[in-house]
Structures are given as structure tokens and as C-alpha cells.
Amino acid sequence: MTGAFPVRRMRRLRRTPALRRLVAETALRPDDLVAPLFVREGVDEPVPIGSLPGHVQHTVPSLLAEAKQLVALGVPAVVLFGVPAAKDAEGSGAWDPDGIVQRAVSELKAAAGDELVVICDLCLDEYTDHGHCGVLGADGGVDNDATVERYGRVALAQARAGADVVAPSGMMDGQVAAIRAALDGEGFTETAVLAYAAKYASALYGPFREAVDVTIAGGGDRRGYQQDPANRREALAEVALDVAEGADMVMVKPALAYLDVLAEVARTCEVPVAAYHVSGEYAMVKAAAERGWIDGEAVLLEHLLAVKRAGATAVLTYGAAEVARLLAG
Ligand code: PBG
């Protein structure tokens, strides 16, 4: 007793590291991590990405070397983004059998086999000259149905190259159903779909757009297809639709500013849920750490643990290799 009230001694179980380990409800493991990697066409040397410290636009050989290190660190998966040498109005490089991602995937699968899950981001924005995630209609807006038809082609090109998982990130209506149908129609019944189901029109994607050399034409944005940050219930509808259309996994993106959404999706959804700790989230940690204002490693671990605690099964993070190293002690 310290006063009038009987004090419940919560601190007893916090006394030693072993006690704290014993009662920890959540753990972050290398197994939970997915490393985003960029591969660029037509360069002989990896090109550093200024706004994503520690990351580069890879050549195919440097990508293979990085993937090998990730496997050694126990990271089970990578998600690939391509930076093509040329872009066009339709983004046709995305489904070119000889496109940069397709070439990278086939080499990656030949080298790493089933030790590494290769996920391909499936979108057109890296490949279109206007920077939108789809093809434009006569009114200048993104034409949903024409875009979804292209996504089917991209899914097939990625599956033929050996992708284990395709991950549509364009937020078009019906994209998962169209991709599933295209894959099944050609016998790729084992290729899984990770749907960026609740993807918000976020200001946190800035560094990523530098990483993939994307500028949206005319100072435009993606608010016509990505979700409004004001909405939570809408995310549940998006997730339910994607699961009904055949998504094997769903994603909430970004992570930290949407932990409420993530927690609710994780609680209500029957498929595994991934969360994307996006480029801006990573860059903010790195920038503050560089100034000596925060302990970057500790904050990164805390962020990712929070994402796990909110219910994520897997976390896509630019800190994957760093965190796997830290966890290995
Ligand atoms: C679209 C795509 C984006 C990201 C992943 N896939 C950019 C966008 O929607 O504008 C962002 C990832 C990040 O910021 O780390 N292909």
C-alpha cells in the first residue's frame, strides 16, 4: 500500500529483460519482412537514391547480390519495382516479356529458387510517360476498364517470368478479378495475388517517386483512384471486394498513419494482411537520425513493432535488411 488505494504492482513483470521477454505479446522477426527493391534498365552501376538512404536503383547483377544477402539474413520476400529506360502513354514496358522486371525476376528465380518469395508490384505508373497508374481516356482521366485489361497483361508477363506473387497497386476497380482471370486463363493457378487493397492518396510516397523517376503530368495527383485519408469504413469495403475477387493477401498502405485501419482490417479479414511502411515513413526516420535528433535504429524497430502489434502479418519496409541485422544482434 502506498496510499489509500491498494496498488496493483504492474512493474513486477517489467523488472528484468527475461521477465519482459516472457510477457511480450508481439515480436518482430526477419520472417515478417518484405524488402522493396528497385531495378533500373540501361545502367552499368547501381544508382543511389538520395531520398532513401542505403537504397539504390539496382542493375540486375547488383539486385541478385542484394537478394542473396537478404536470404542470408532470413528475410523471406522481396517486392520488385522496375525503372524502364523508356516510357510511353500506355506503359507497355510493364508487360513486355523482355521488360526490366521480367528479366530481373527470371534471373532472381534462377538464382534463389524457392528460398525467396518474389513479389512484383503490378502497376503502370513507372512505365507511363504521364506518370498515372493507368491509361488515360478521352477526358484525360484514368480509364478504369482499359487499365484493368492492361493489368491482366502485366500479371501474365510477370507470372511467365516466374513471379511467385503479383501485387496490383493501382487501385482500379475490379483489378484483382481481372488479374486472377488472366492468370487462371493461362494456367498460372499457383501465382498468388497480394492486393494493395486499402491504399491511400498519401503525401508519404514522395521519396518513392524519386526512386522510380515518376512525375505525375501537370502537377496531378492520384486522388481520383487512391483512397481519401479521411475514410476508414471505405477501406473495409475495398478489402472485402478484393478478397471476394480472389486476393490471397491484402495490404494497408501507408502503415503508421493508418494503424486504425490496419487493426480493423486485421481483426475482420480472413486472409493474411500486409502493411507497407512506405518511403516517406522510412525517409523521415533517416533524416531525423542523420541530424542526431532521434536514435534511428530504435525508432525503426519501434515503428515496425507497432505495425505488427496493430495486426500485420507481414511488413514491407525499406529497413528490412537493417532490421534483420539488428534482430540478429
Ligand atoms: C505505385 C506504387 C507507389 C508506391 C508503391 N507502388 C507510388 C504511388 O502510388 O504513387 C509507393 C511506395 C512507397 O512510397 O514506398 N506503383
Side-chain angles (χ1 to χ4, degrees):
M1 297 269 287
T2 56
F5 288 101
V7 171
R8 183 166 164 212
R9 301 277 176 187
M10 295 300 286
R11 289 180 50 192
R12 281 180 193 133
L13 298 181
R14 298 178 194 151
R15 194 169 51 81
T16 69
L19 274 166
R20 293 194 289 273
R21 268 169 43 219
L22 178 70
V23 300
E25 298 172 34
T26 310
L28 185 64
R29 310 166 304 159
D31 284 347
D32 304 323
L33 305 174
V34 180
L37 298 176
F38 302 96
V39 59
R40 178 164 168 184
E41 189 171 33
V43 289
D44 298 326
E45 291 293 328
V47 181
I49 302 164
S51 55
L52 286 177
H55 285 268
V56 297
Q57 295 173 328
H58 281 287
T59 63
V60 173
S62 76
L63 181 81
L64 297 185
E66 175 79 25
K68 198 171 162 186
Q69 280 190 32
L70 287 162
V71 169
L73 287 165
V75 173
V78 297
V79 57
L80 287 187
F81 298 92
V83 187
K87 307 186 188 221
D88 61 28
E90 281 199 274
S92 64
W95 63 84
D96 181 348
D98 199 34
I100 183 61
V101 162
Q102 281 68 260
R103 277 191 276 137
V105 170
S106 55
E107 294 218 21
L108 210 47
K109 288 307 287 184
D114 288 340
E115 273 190 301
L116 185 68
V117 178
V118 176
I119 305 172
C120 289
D121 183 81
L122 194 169
C123 199
L124 298 181
D125 63 322
E126 295 91 357
Y127 302 88
T128 53
D129 51 17
H130 45 73
H132 275 294
C133 295
V135 292
L136 303 183
D139 64 355
V142 173
D143 180 333
N144 190 88
D145 298 4
T147 298
V148 158
E149 189 273 327
R150 268 52 168 207
Y151 286 178
R153 302 185 206 177
V154 183
L156 281 176
Q158 294 176 340
R160 285 189 185 112
D164 297 298
V165 182
V166 298
S169 63
M171 291 299 281
M172 297 300 134
D173 292 326
Q175 63 185 15
V176 173
I179 287 167
R180 188 71 266 161
L183 290 171
D184 291 349
E186 296 284 321
F188 291 103
T189 54
E190 297 306 306
T191 308
V193 177
L194 162 59
Y196 286 69
K199 176 173 176 179
Y200 286 87
S202 171
L204 289 159
Y205 307 148
F208 174 91
R209 296 199 186 142
E210 179 189 331
V212 292
D213 294 335
V214 168
T215 314
I216 306 175
D221 59 47
R222 308 208 194 289
R223 291 177 194 276
Y225 38 102
Q226 297 181 348
Q227 271 190 252
D228 183 343
N231 297 349
R232 181 176 54 84
R233 294 169 60 245
E234 188 187 357
L236 301 181
E238 284 282 7
V239 166
L241 284 167
D242 283 358
V243 172
E245 288 179 27
D248 300 284
M249 284 180 83
V250 293
M251 191 197 297
V252 174
K253 175 188 175 191
L256 291 178
Y258 300 87
L259 287 187
D260 56 336
V261 175
L262 174 60
E264 194 149 346
V265 169
R267 198 172 54 77
T268 54
C269 171
E270 63 184 26
V271 303
V273 179
Y276 201 144
H277 184 257
V278 300
S279 58
E281 300 179 270
Y282 174 82
M284 289 193 291
V285 174
K286 289 290 167 184
E290 220 172 87
R291 292 189 165 202
W293 290 353
I294 61 170
D295 175 342
E297 290 179 351
V299 172
L300 195 57
L301 286 170
E302 188 174 333
H303 274 185
L304 300 180
L305 186 67
V307 175
K308 280 284 321 262
R309 192 188 61 235
T313 314
V315 191
L316 291 78
T317 171
Y318 299 94
E322 180 180 348
V323 164
R325 269 188 206 103
L326 290 172
L327 293 174

